[in-house]
Amino acid sequence: MPSSGLNLGLSTLFIRKNLLSEEQVATAISQSRKAKQSLVSTIVKDKLLSAREIAELCYEEYGSPLLDLTEFDVTNIPEDILNKKLIANHKCLPLFKRGNRLYIATSDPTNIAALEDFQFSLGLHAEAIIVEDDKLNIALEKILEEDITGLGLDGIDEESLAGIEVADTDSRDEEQSSDSSDDAPIVIYINKILTDAIRKGASDLHFEPYEKRYRIRFRVDGILHEVSEPPVNLSNRISARLKVMSKLDIAERRVPQDGRIKMKLSRTKSIDFRVSTLPTIWGEKIVMRILDSSSAQLGIEKLGYEDDQRELYEQMLAKPQGMILVTGPTGSGKTVSLYTGLNILNTEERNISTAEDPVEINLEGVNQVHINLKAGLTFASALRSFLRQDPDVVMVGEIRDLETAEIAIKAAQTGHLVLSTLHTNSAAETLTRLINMGVPGYNIASSVNLIIAQRLARRLCPECKAPEDVPKEELQRLGFSEDSISEGFTVFKPIGCDHCSGGYKGRVGIYEVMKMTDEIARTIMEGGNSLQIAKQAKNSGMRDLRLSGLLKVTKGITSIAEVNRVTSFN
C-alpha cells in the first residue's frame, strides 16, 4: 500500500502558517486515506495550495535542498538505486548517490518511513531533496512506465500483474501459454495493457499487426489513441496470449473468432471483455470491448436526456404494451439506453426476457438469452419462445430482418412491452426502414410508441474549457435560433490540460425522441417518406439531433466542433 505521508508535523505546519484551516486539513487527511495517496497530492489536487507553495514552505521549514525536477534528467538515474517497488509504494524517487549517501526526491520531507525503507533496502544513508509534487508525479510516471525491450515493463510490479487471474480459463491452454519463461513478459505486458485501458476509461482496445510495425490503440471518449508499439516480431505471441485468455482456438488463424474474458483484479472486482479476432494479411487483428456493468446501473438522469425527453421515455416505459425503438450507429450508447430502461422496469412483478448477440452485461432478475446462429438460436426463434413463457417485457438486441420485425410487432400488439434497436441515422428513418423490410404501415402505426435516435458527444473538460468568440451570423448559420442568441450565452471550446484528453473528458448523450402521434401515423399509412415524417415530428415539438446538440453547446457541456462531428449539418 502506498505510503500515506500523513505526518503530523506537515499537517500542523499548514495550520500554524495559517495556510489552511483545521477543518480543511482534517478533510484532506480523510480524503488521502480513502484515495491511498499522500496528503500533499490531495491538497494540490483539491487546489488548496499549489505544489510550488508547499515545496517552498518545506524548504524554509526543514532546510532540505530544493530542486526543480524538470532540470534533472531522470533517464540518467543509476539502475542500482531504482527500487521500483519502493518508488511506487512511497512516491519518492532516488536521484543519485555520493559516497554512502542516497539523495531522494520527495514532496514530503516529513515522510521518514520512506527514507528509512530506502536506507534499509539499499544500505545507504538517505537524505531528502524537496521537489514540487506535480513535477514529481510526471517523473515517477516516466520512470515507472518507460520501455524495456519494447514492452513497457520497466517499473511494473510484476508480482501483482502476473497475479491477475483470468476466470474460467482452460488449464491446458494456460499451461501451454505461461509455463515457458519466455512467455512470462508477454503475460505481464498484456495484463498491464488491460489494466491501463481500464484505468484510462477506454471502451475498446485494438491490437493491430502490420508489415513493419505492431500498434495498440485505446478508444477513449469515442476517439482512438495509440498507446503502445511493441516489436512486430511479438505479434503472434500477443495474439496467442489473448486467444488463450478468451478460450479461443490458438491454432486457428484463418477465420474470425469471438470470445470473452473475465479478468479478476481482486477477490471482489472483475472486468469483462468481449473479444473479436480477424485474420488480416499481416496477422490477426484483435479488438476487445470492455463491458462495464456499472454503465447499466446509471440513472436515466445521468445519460444526458433533456427533461422533456426523459419524461417522454419514462411515460412510454410505463405503458403495458407497445414498442420502444432505439437507433443509432455502433458505439452510440444504444445498449446503455436500453439497459437503463430495463432497470426501471426490472421489478418483482414483471417477467422480463432479452435476446442479445452477445449478452454484454448481466442483469440480475432479467432472463437473458445469448443468440447462437450456428445452433439455430436466432432472434426470431428466441422471440417465439419468449411469447410462450408469459412475458411482460421483451428486449430484442436488434431487429435485422422481416421475420424478427413481424414477431416483435405482434408481441407489441398483444399486450407486451417490446424494446429493441435498429441501425438508422434518425428516428424518422427508423419507420421507413421497417416499411422497406416489408412491415405494413398500419402495423407500425399501431405498435410503435416511441423512437429514440442518439449519438455520444465528448464533454468539454471543466478544468480547461475556454470561451470562444463566434460571430452572431455564424451561430445562426450553424443552427442556433435567434432567440437563443439574443438571450446571450457563452460558447466554449476545448483547450487541453493534464486532467483531460485534448480538451474533452467523458461523453454525454444527444437524443432525438419521437413519439408516435396521430399525424405521424397518418403520414406512415399514406406512404410518406422519412422527410415528411420528420417534418410532422418537428411540428409536434420534437428536437432533432442537431438542435439537441446545440442545446448542449448553450449549456457549456460540449463544443460546436463536437456537435458538427456527431450530427448532420444541413
Side-chain angles (χ1 to χ4, degrees), residues 1-4 84-92:
M1 173 177 163
S3 173
S4 63
K84 305 299 172 61
K85 193 168 185 178
L86 288 180
I87 291 172
N89 284 346
H90 290 297
K91 197 183 167 189
C92 295

Side-chain angles (χ1 to χ4, degrees), residues 357-514:
D357 184 20
V359 174
E360 293 194 2
I361 298 171
N362 296 325
L363 296 177
E364 185 72 26
V366 175
N367 306 294
Q368 296 173 274
V369 174
H370 183 101
I371 296 303
N372 188 337
L373 298 179
K374 291 181 179 178
L377 180 56
T378 64
F379 283 116
S381 61
L383 265 174
R384 288 194 191 93
S385 297
F386 291 166
L387 297 178
R388 292 193 288 268
Q389 295 210 338
D390 184 33
D392 297 300
V393 179
V394 171
M395 194 269 271
V396 185
E398 183 183 351
I399 295 178
R400 298 175 179 174
D401 51 50
L402 177 59
E403 184 182 16
T404 305
E406 287 179 335
I407 300 171
I409 285 174
K410 180 181 177 183
Q413 292 173 331
T414 55
H416 308 93
L417 183 62
V418 179
L419 287 74
S420 189
T421 71
L422 280 90
H423 283 89
T424 59
N425 292 324
S426 67
E429 289 175 42
T430 302
L431 297 175
T432 55
R433 172 74 184 278
L434 290 172
I435 292 171
N436 292 337
M437 280 185 182
V439 180
Y442 60 85
N443 275 342
I444 297 172
S446 63
S447 60
V448 176
N449 292 341
L450 190 74
I451 302 174
I452 301 172
Q454 66 180 78
R455 302 290 188 275
L456 288 178
R458 291 178 292 172
R459 288 180 182 268
L460 284 166
C461 172
E463 301 287 339
C464 66
K465 68 179 182 180
E468 181 178 14
D469 186 17
V470 183
K472 182 177 179 181
E473 297 76 17
E474 178 64 11
L475 292 174
Q476 288 179 317
R477 187 187 72 82
L478 290 169
F480 289 95
S481 66
E482 184 79 28
D483 292 340
S484 65
I485 297 173
S486 61
E487 290 173 3
F489 64 90
T490 303
V491 176
F492 291 92
K493 63 181 178 180
I495 298 297
C497 66
D498 295 336
H499 302 279
C500 65
S501 176
Y504 296 98
K505 187 175 184 180
R507 289 192 287 179
V508 65
I510 295 175
Y511 302 93
E512 181 178 282
V513 182
M514 187 177 83

Side-chain angles (χ1 to χ4, degrees), residues 133-144:
D133 191 72
D134 50 358
K135 294 178 181 178
L136 177 60
N137 286 333
I138 294 171
L140 290 175
E141 185 174 347
K142 187 173 183 180
I143 286 293
L144 295 178

Side-chain angles (χ1 to χ4, degrees), residues 73-284:
D73 186 0
V74 296
T75 60
N76 288 332
I77 297 176
E79 286 289 333
D80 61 337
I81 65 172
L82 284 178
N83 186 317
K84 305 299 172 61
K85 193 168 185 178
L86 288 180
I87 291 172
N89 284 346
H90 290 297
K91 197 183 167 189
C92 295
L93 181 62
L95 298 179
F96 55 89
K97 60 181 178 179
R98 286 180 183 165
N100 67 339
R101 293 183 180 273
L102 177 69
Y103 294 88
I104 299 176
T106 177
S107 59
D108 180 6
T110 67
N111 189 359
I112 304 301
L115 300 179
E116 289 177 346
D117 277 0
F118 276 100
Q119 185 167 304
F120 177 79
S121 174
L122 300 176
L124 299 170
H125 179 72
E127 294 192 11
I129 292 181
I130 300 168
V131 296
E132 293 158 68
D133 191 72
D134 50 358
K135 294 178 181 178
L136 177 60
N137 286 333
I138 294 171
L140 290 175
E141 185 174 347
K142 187 173 183 180
I143 286 293
L144 295 178
E145 295 190 1
E146 68 181 352
D147 288 348
I148 275 187
T149 65
L151 282 180
L153 297 178
D154 191 22
I156 305 303
D157 185 348
E158 297 188 7
E159 205 172 291
S160 61
L161 276 179
I164 292 176
E165 296 179 21
V166 180
D168 301 322
T169 301
D170 183 271
S171 59
R172 287 177 307 165
D173 288 343
E174 189 65 32
E175 289 170 10
Q176 195 176 22
S177 173
S178 59
D179 276 358
S180 169
S181 60
D182 291 341
D183 287 335
I186 296 294
V187 172
I188 297 169
Y189 176 63
I190 293 298
N191 287 345
K192 176 185 180 297
I193 289 292
L194 299 186
T195 51
D196 280 353
I198 295 166
R199 189 180 72 248
K200 292 178 180 179
S203 60
D204 302 88
L205 298 80
H206 293 244
F207 296 80
E208 301 169 312
Y210 298 98
E211 181 181 11
K212 296 181 179 179
R213 64 188 294 241
Y214 189 99
R215 72 176 177 183
I216 299 173
R217 295 188 290 172
F218 294 169
R219 188 179 294 278
V220 180
D221 294 337
I223 305 296
L224 282 168
H225 304 274
E226 185 169 333
V227 295
S228 184
E229 189 175 336
V232 70
N233 64 330
L234 296 179
S235 171
N236 289 338
R237 290 170 63 188
I238 290 173
S239 61
R241 172 60 186 167
L242 292 172
K243 288 165 75 174
V244 164
M245 296 171 74
S246 313
K247 298 182 70 175
L248 301 177
D249 184 355
I250 62 173
E252 179 57 77
R253 300 178 183 176
R254 299 165 298 174
V255 297
Q257 297 186 68
D258 294 302
R260 197 178 180 106
I261 297 173
K262 189 175 188 68
M263 188 173 177
K264 292 183 178 179
L265 302 178
S266 68
R267 289 183 179 179
T268 58
K269 178 70 173 177
S270 63
I271 296 288
D272 287 347
F273 296 84
R274 193 177 80 198
V275 183
S276 172
T277 73
L278 179 69
T280 70
I281 58 174
W282 302 115
E284 288 179 289

